Amino acid sequence: MLRIKVALISLGCAKNTVDSENMLGILKREHFQVTGEATEADVIIVNTCGFISAAKEESIDTILEMARLKTQGRCKKLVVAGCLVQKYREDLLREIPEIDAVLGTGDIGSVAETVRQSMQGSRVVNVRPPGQEDFTGIIPRFRTTSVPTAYLKIAEGCDHRCSYCTIPEMRGPYRSRPAEALLGEAASLIADGAKELVVVAQDTTLYGLDRYQKKKLPFLLEELAQLEGLQWIRLLYMYPEHINQEMIQVVAEEPRICKYLDIPLQHASNVILRRMNRRQNKEEILKLVTGLRESIPDITLRTTFIVGFPGETEEHFQELLGFVEEAQFDWVGVFKYSREEGTPAARMRGQVPEEVKEERFHRVMLLQREISRKRNLLWLNRIIPVMAEGYSTEHPGMLVGRAERHAPEIDGVVRFTGKQVLPGELVMVRITGVDYYDLVGEIVA
């Protein structure tokens, strides 16, 4: 009997990547065949992102592309899953008749059943309100990331009510996964070859408060650091108001935890921060940044900002530019404000024209490019550990990897020469050159 062949296209953030890997793991456990080629698949699953307008457009374009592929090729069924489904399932089913099934963010555990039902001729709708899934066990995973790196999603949903964000609507309230399940999943990922675990959630610092009535991220990190075979633990999405001294101490003292924190700030003007319903002000953020650099020498700090938020004047924007110059973050991501229906910010007066958003976006990025290069220069002539990932596709003959200061896919890399190394191997590299984002070096004994 031929097994049903399934291809999955994953869009959006690292948290969505984990959902996609969970769905693939469940499908493999249920004896489906997984393929990386949509043109070879009997069933195509598109795991969508619905965070901002650009992500929604990419999701819709991908669904339409797969719908055309379905009408032209061997594909029999098209399943759409994820955030876009959670918010727009009726619109999707009405506007795109080629969709055979939809699967909500809290229903990925029923992916095998959904595929089977659709193959039997039903148009399947598995979309419950988010927050009803069972987190107690280890969810199967089929990894799609590069060999050395795996994401570990420690919680789902969000309790923050930022005025621009639809995540609570699409993902539900904050739910921490049990520590024992996370440790079991981490051990399984390490056994599968992962050398680096990237810890993610909508707010990683809040981990445990709902389940244990106490913030337990420091405890979880200490337990993860004991797992044999693990080289690095990396932390993303650290909300600034929950970074306390206990958390800082664990990062400072545990050698396996990368001296790297991703702290989404979104703005620096206190006026705009209040309109965003963010809980910290500029003065508190600067104090945090100073304290982190004093407590953790050589720490790498990454953040994200939104430009063009409703009511942002040139004066507010200049305040943001001044903050970027003063704080000297290693890495900065910038988003142009996206007016999401149903959010308080969408109803605010003072919506900023798109051309102004675009201009402000480029001004921040140009400033930060120079700062990132300046921060890179601090590593010149130093010898640092680098996790090898393979050969560079853009620079023939050179190997490529990441230092502790580089999160996968969003930061720079280290390009280096020397002996042949395996993906996941830690090598010592002397840094001999820098550019705006990357480091260049050579392996030393």
Side-chain angles (χ1 to χ4, degrees):
M1 177 179 173
L2 291 175
R3 291 191 294 166
I4 297 171
K5 191 177 288 189
V6 182
L8 190 149
I9 299 167
S10 187
L11 305 172
C13 65
K15 300 179 288 292
N16 229 30
T17 298
V18 175
D19 288 347
S20 296
E21 293 180 349
N22 286 147
M23 285 192 279
L24 291 173
I26 291 167
L27 289 166
K28 284 188 70 68
R29 183 187 65 187
E30 296 296 316
H31 308 295
F32 290 85
Q33 186 177 349
V34 172
T35 176
E37 297 295 331
T39 54
E40 299 177 358
D42 303 305
V43 178
I44 298 172
I45 301 173
V46 181
N47 192 18
T48 60
C49 177
F51 181 48
I52 57 176
S53 296
K56 288 189 284 189
E57 290 171 10
E58 181 187 22
S59 293
I60 293 294
D61 289 346
T62 304
I63 295 167
L64 292 174
E65 183 183 350
M66 293 305 106
R68 286 191 293 271
L69 192 61
K70 176 188 170 186
T71 60
Q72 299 167 0
R74 62 173 281 171
C75 175
K76 301 177 181 66
K77 300 295 175 181
L78 174 60
V79 179
V80 180
C83 290
L84 203 66
V85 167
Q86 198 67 41
K87 189 171 182 180
Y88 298 106
R89 60 185 176 277
E90 294 176 2
D91 296 331
L92 290 168
L93 289 169
R94 182 178 63 252
E95 299 295 333
I96 309 178
E98 293 86 355
I99 295 175
D100 299 288
V102 289
L103 198 61
T105 57
D107 296 279
I108 63 172
S110 63
V111 61
E113 176 188 352
T114 299
V115 171
R116 288 194 184 101
Q117 288 176 347
S118 68
M119 291 294 287
Q120 292 167 4
S122 301
R123 201 177 198 203
V124 187
V125 179
N126 275 339
V127 186
R128 297 176 296 172
Q132 301 179 33
E133 63 274 81
D134 180 10
F135 274 164
T136 56
I138 299 174
I139 308 170
R141 289 274 295 271
F142 179 80
R143 280 208 297 131
T144 58
T145 51
S146 62
V147 173
T149 301
Y151 293 101
L152 184 69
K153 184 161 70 168
I154 63 174
E156 182 58 276
C158 187
D159 287 341
H160 299 295
R161 289 294 183 268
C162 301
S163 64
Y164 50 83
C165 185
T166 59
I167 292 297
E169 178 184 357
M170 294 185 289
R171 290 284 179 172
Y174 195 91
R175 289 103 63 205
S176 301
R177 292 186 60 202
E180 57 271 20
L182 290 170
L183 292 170
E185 181 174 337
S188 176
L189 292 168
I190 295 166
D192 190 42
K195 302 294 185 183
E196 174 188 31
L197 291 180
V198 183
V199 176
V200 296
Q202 197 61 33
D203 176 359
T204 53
T205 50
L206 204 58
Y207 173 76
L209 187 60
D210 59 308
R211 182 174 289 275
Y212 304 112
Q213 290 71 59
K214 181 183 178 183
K215 288 182 240 180
K216 299 275 283 185
L217 183 60
F219 163 80
L220 179 64
L221 293 174
E222 289 173 340
E223 293 296 306
L224 287 171
Q226 304 306 310
L227 295 176
E228 188 175 348
L230 184 62
Q231 301 277 12
W232 286 349
I233 301 167
R234 187 180 300 277
L235 294 163
L236 300 186
Y237 314 122
M238 306 278 287
Y239 273 56
E241 62 263 34
H242 300 305
I243 300 176
N244 55 27
Q245 197 55 45
E246 182 186 13
M247 181 77 255
I248 294 171
Q249 185 175 344
V250 169
V251 175
E253 295 179 357
E254 175 48 59
R256 291 189 183 186
I257 298 177
C258 294
K259 308 310 178 235
Y260 176 110
L261 293 181
D262 167 59
I263 308 171
L265 297 176
Q266 312 309 4
H267 214 278
S269 162
N270 289 338
V271 172
I272 300 300
L273 287 168
R274 284 193 296 271
R275 289 172 68 86
M276 288 178 166
N277 200 27
R278 301 287 291 185
R279 297 181 183 178
Q280 283 206 316
N281 58 43
K282 181 174 72 172
E283 294 72 28
E284 291 169 334
I285 293 167
L286 280 172
K287 183 178 178 181
L288 173 64
V289 170
T290 301
L292 286 168
R293 289 193 168 131
E294 289 174 352
S295 301
I296 310 173
D298 287 338
I299 190 170
T300 295
L301 296 177
R302 177 182 179 84
T303 192
T304 51
F305 295 117
I306 296 172
V307 296
F309 189 80
E312 183 191 63
T313 64
E314 179 64 23
E315 182 181 355
H316 298 139
F317 179 69
Q318 286 294 335
E319 194 172 354
L320 173 61
L321 288 179
F323 176 82
V324 170
E325 183 70 61
E326 183 176 3
Q328 294 283 299
F329 290 100
D330 297 86
W331 313 113
V332 169
V334 182
F335 293 92
K336 291 169 281 188
Y337 167 73
S338 176
R339 191 175 188 178
E340 297 302 311
E341 59 183 308
T343 62
R347 301 187 294 271
M348 288 180 180
R349 295 179 179 179
Q351 299 290 329
V352 177
E354 291 300 319
E355 61 270 21
V356 176
K357 296 179 192 176
E358 184 75 17
E359 187 257 351
R360 289 177 181 172
F361 168 84
H362 288 292
R363 285 163 70 186
V364 179
M365 292 303 292
L366 283 172
L367 171 61
Q368 181 57 41
R369 186 174 73 161
E370 297 300 327
I371 294 171
S372 291
R373 185 176 184 277
K374 190 188 304 182
R375 300 293 297 176
N376 271 346
L377 283 168
L378 298 175
W379 297 88
L380 197 60
N381 298 320
R382 293 176 62 176
I383 297 174
I384 60 173
V386 172
M387 185 172 289
E389 292 187 322
Y391 280 93
S392 171
T393 56
E394 299 177 356
H395 299 84
M398 296 197 79
L399 293 150
V400 67
R402 289 179 295 107
E404 285 191 40
R405 63 185 274 99
H406 301 123
E409 300 179 351
I410 56 174
D411 298 329
V413 296
V414 183
R415 306 191 306 270
F416 58 98
T417 56
K419 65 176 183 177
Q420 185 174 354
V421 292
L422 297 173
E425 186 176 346
L426 275 182
V427 292
M428 300 306 294
V429 174
R430 177 183 285 108
I431 303 304
T432 58
V434 307
D435 60 24
Y436 288 114
Y437 302 111
D438 298 342
L439 302 176
V440 180
E442 57 189 11
I443 294 178
V444 299

